[in-house]
């Protein structure tokens, strides 16, 4: 049986691994969409001596610049690295406050902790799971004015009173853009920087504007389950020339343009992408429309089938999302049905799945540092308790969607 795709390469891989349904489930959780175009460009890099800091990186950046219309695109080694560079470029420092969402992948908050800044969580919109703009505004107003209400936005511990509010860090969750217009208005009013975490949203559009370009900085990530992949990698977009120069220096061990290989103007990192990854990314960008369209079709097949099942909610797309860029497919299980039992029963049938997300404020290290408790962000926690990511990729067949959907229907009927 061939599970992942029908290519010869996959067949060989499966044979070598002595594949069984245990090692390779009938339907994988996710799978990259790769063709001979990708294989050939990566192979071609291996025939050159330039495996880093070469023409493929420049070409990949140019492809993203052309696609987003951003003035600068800066390729890096991961989404986390990209977000961290945005935090550094925005001069977010020890003790600074940044308003962000607890309903996200941990990296969006971790990059603040790397600089000893403090994430200030506000709850999310129940429909989209994206940060709630009204709460962002209220928190920003109270914290910027330092009024008596400001305390209620702060964590129980781990923050000093009177710490300055510096930035907003919204996340385009699951490939649907956050409601950026009111967030931008809040940022303007209180002079805050916006870092848009678009790591899940390459290709999405908010009121016909590309996700990732709606703040001062945007980051797209390319881990293998994202819309396009470079293996590991990401790209930052910004219109600011100085920030572009600073981020390029920081990602390359703090070397400024005049520095030699062993001179370092700044404390920097090795956040460089390599040429094989950049070539892969460039090839995937040439297929972006096809990749997004295929993902959209799979989401459509799911919706058709899952909307028929009582107790399952399919993702809601709001009118401001003029293009959804499907990242994962997360259903919500009705409150009266135990999501965890559904998850286990699906696993027993060989259908992989994942609770999505476990809220950031309830991760052990966040509880320890800031004293968060269950009940602090009720909507986030409700979505976290009911959300279930099911197998999803652009290479899924309609038959695979059928298998998963049927299993979900049967499992829920049995519970
Ligand atoms: C994928 C992702 C990232 C970046 O992840 P890396 O593994 O570091 O590339 C950041 N934020 C969100 C919301 C993500 O989904």
């Amino acid at each position: 049986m061939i599970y992942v795709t029908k290519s010869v390469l996959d067949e060989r891989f499966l044979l070598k691994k002595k594949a069984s349904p245990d090692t390779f489930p009938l339907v994988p959780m996710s799978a990259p969409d790769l063709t001979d175009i990708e294989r050939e460009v990566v192979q071609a890099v291996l025939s050159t001596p330039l495996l880093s800091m070469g023409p493929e990186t420049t070409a990949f950046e140019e492809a993203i610049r052309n696609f987003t219309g951003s003035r600068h695109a800066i390729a890096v080694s991961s989404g986390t690295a990209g977000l961290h560079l945005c935090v550094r470029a925005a001069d977010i420092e020890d003790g600074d406050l940044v308003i962000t969402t607890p309903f996200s992948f941990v990296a969006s908050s971790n990059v603040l902790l790397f600089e000893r800044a403090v994430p200030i969580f506000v709850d999310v919109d129940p429909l989209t799971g994206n940060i709630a703009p009204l709460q962002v505004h209220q928190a920003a107003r109270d914290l910027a004015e330092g009024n008596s209400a400001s305390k209620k936005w702060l964590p129980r511990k781990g923050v000093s009173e009177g710490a300055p509010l510096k930035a907003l860090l919204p996340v385009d969750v699951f490939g649907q853009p956050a409601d950026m217009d009111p967030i931008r208005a809040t940022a303007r009013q209180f002079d805050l920087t916006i870092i848009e975490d678009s790591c899940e949203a390459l290709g999405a559009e908010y009121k016909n504007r590309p996700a990732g370009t709606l703040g001062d900085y945007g980051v797209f990530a390319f881990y293998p389950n994202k819309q396009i992949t470079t293996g590991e990698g990401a790209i930052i977009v910004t219109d600011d020339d100085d920030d572009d120069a600073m981020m390029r220096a920081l990602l390359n061990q703090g070397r400024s343009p005049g520095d030699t290989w062993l001179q370092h103007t700044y404390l920097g990192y090795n956040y460089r992408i390599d040429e094989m990854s950049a070539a892969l990314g460039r090839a995937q960008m040439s297929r972006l429309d096809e990749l997004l369209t295929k993902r959209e079709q799979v989401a459509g097949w799911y919706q058709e089938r899952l909307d028929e099942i009582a107790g399952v909610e399919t993702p809601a797309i709001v009118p401001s999302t003029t293009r959804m860029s499907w990242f994962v497919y997360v259903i919500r299980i009705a409150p009266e049905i135990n999501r965890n039992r559904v998850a286990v029963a699906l696993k027993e049938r060989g259908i992989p799945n994942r609770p999505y997300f476990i809220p950031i404020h309830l991760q052990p290290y966040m509880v320890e540092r800031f004293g968060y408790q269950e009940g602090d962000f009720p909507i986030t926690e409700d979505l976290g308790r009911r959300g279930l990511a099911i197998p999803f990729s652009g290479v899924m067949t309609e038959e695979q969607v059928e298998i998963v959907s049927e299993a979900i229907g049967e499992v829920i009927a049995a519970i």
Side-chain angles (χ1 to χ4, degrees), residues 68-95:
T68 58
S70 298
R71 196 168 151 79
H72 301 286
I74 306 145
V76 290
S77 54
S78 74
T80 309
L83 290 166
H84 185 203
L85 290 182
C86 296
V87 170
R88 282 284 311 265
D91 285 323
I92 294 167
E93 295 171 338
D94 195 347

Side-chain angles (χ1 to χ4, degrees), residues 35-67:
T35 63
D36 285 344
I37 300 174
E38 283 85 350
R39 293 180 192 106
E40 275 161 24
V41 293
V42 174
Q43 196 72 41
V45 171
L46 297 177
S47 308
T48 76
L50 265 181
L51 303 188
S52 184
M53 302 172 81
E56 286 294 347
T57 301
T58 310
F60 184 34
E61 291 175 339
E62 190 183 349
I64 294 277
R65 242 182 317 136
N66 290 339
F67 178 72

Side-chain angles (χ1 to χ4, degrees), residues 112-167:
L112 301 170
L113 302 185
F114 293 170
E115 296 303 320
R116 308 195 68 76
V118 179
I120 300 295
F121 293 127
V122 301
D123 216 339
V124 299
D125 175 80
L127 211 54
T128 61
N130 279 324
I131 197 165
L134 187 61
Q135 296 228 20
V136 172
H137 183 82
Q138 290 167 345
R141 181 198 56 204
D142 293 343
L143 291 165
E145 289 173 359
N147 61 32
S148 58
S150 65
K151 243 192 139 134
K152 80 168 194 201
W153 302 103
L154 301 178
R156 289 180 183 80
K157 59 176 191 177
V159 59
S160 43
E161 232 167 287
L165 177 65
K166 281 281 187 72

Side-chain angles (χ1 to χ4, degrees), residues 78-80 83 104-105 107-108 171 197 199-200 221 223 226 233 327:
S78 74
T80 309
L83 290 166
S104 173
F105 182 64
S108 58
V171 178
D197 181 343
C199 287
E200 303 186 350
Y223 183 75
K226 311 266 176 178
F327 164 51

Side-chain angles (χ1 to χ4, degrees), residues 163-339:
L165 177 65
K166 281 281 187 72
L168 308 177
L169 200 162
V171 178
D172 301 329
V173 171
F174 305 153
Q176 174 151 239
D179 191 1
M180 291 300 286
D181 277 346
I183 292 171
R184 286 160 61 94
T186 299
R188 254 195 316 275
Q189 187 177 349
F190 299 106
D191 194 22
L192 305 170
T193 301
I194 299 177
I195 300 171
E196 185 183 4
D197 181 343
S198 296
C199 287
E200 303 186 350
L202 177 70
E205 284 177 14
Y206 173 77
K207 302 182 184 176
N208 298 310
R209 288 174 276 161
T213 65
L214 303 164
D216 298 280
Y217 316 97
V219 181
F220 305 110
F222 310 128
Y223 183 75
N225 69 343
K226 311 266 176 178
Q227 290 88 340
I228 71 165
T229 189
T230 55
E232 299 284 358
I235 277 194
I236 307 161
V237 289
T238 182
D239 288 337
D240 189 292
D241 297 347
D242 294 336
D243 288 336
D244 170 68
M246 177 55 94
M247 292 195 279
R248 287 186 187 283
L250 294 181
L251 78 85
N252 185 24
Q253 302 284 16
R255 294 180 186 104
S256 242
D259 289 345
T260 65
W261 190 251
L262 294 175
Q263 284 180 316
H264 309 269
T265 301
Y266 309 106
L267 168 64
Y269 317 92
N270 178 357
Y271 282 168
R272 295 184 300 263
I273 197 168
D274 62 69
E275 284 283 284
M276 292 74 78
S277 299
L280 180 50
R282 184 171 65 83
Q284 290 255 282
M285 274 308 284
S286 75
R287 298 178 54 223
L288 181 64
D289 204 50
E290 176 205 337
L291 297 181
L292 294 181
T293 303
K294 282 159 87 179
R295 296 174 85 91
E296 196 170 354
Q297 180 173 50
V298 173
W301 288 333
Y302 263 136
Q303 190 184 348
E304 236 171 74
R305 290 162 175 80
L306 297 177
D307 276 344
E308 303 290 305
I309 303 173
V312 172
E313 281 171 46
T314 54
I317 312 299
V318 292
S320 59
T321 303
T322 47
R323 180 158 202 193
M324 177 74 182
S325 175
W326 290 92
F327 164 51
V328 281
Y329 199 86
V330 180
I331 55 173
R332 292 180 193 158
I333 307 298
E336 63 275 13
I337 304 170
N338 184 328
R339 189 269 319 264

Side-chain angles (χ1 to χ4, degrees), residues 12-24:
R12 276 197 222 125
F13 183 63
L14 290 176
L15 287 175
K16 209 159 57 195
K17 292 283 252 195
K18 290 213 177 59
S20 75
D22 292 338
T23 51
F24 278 84

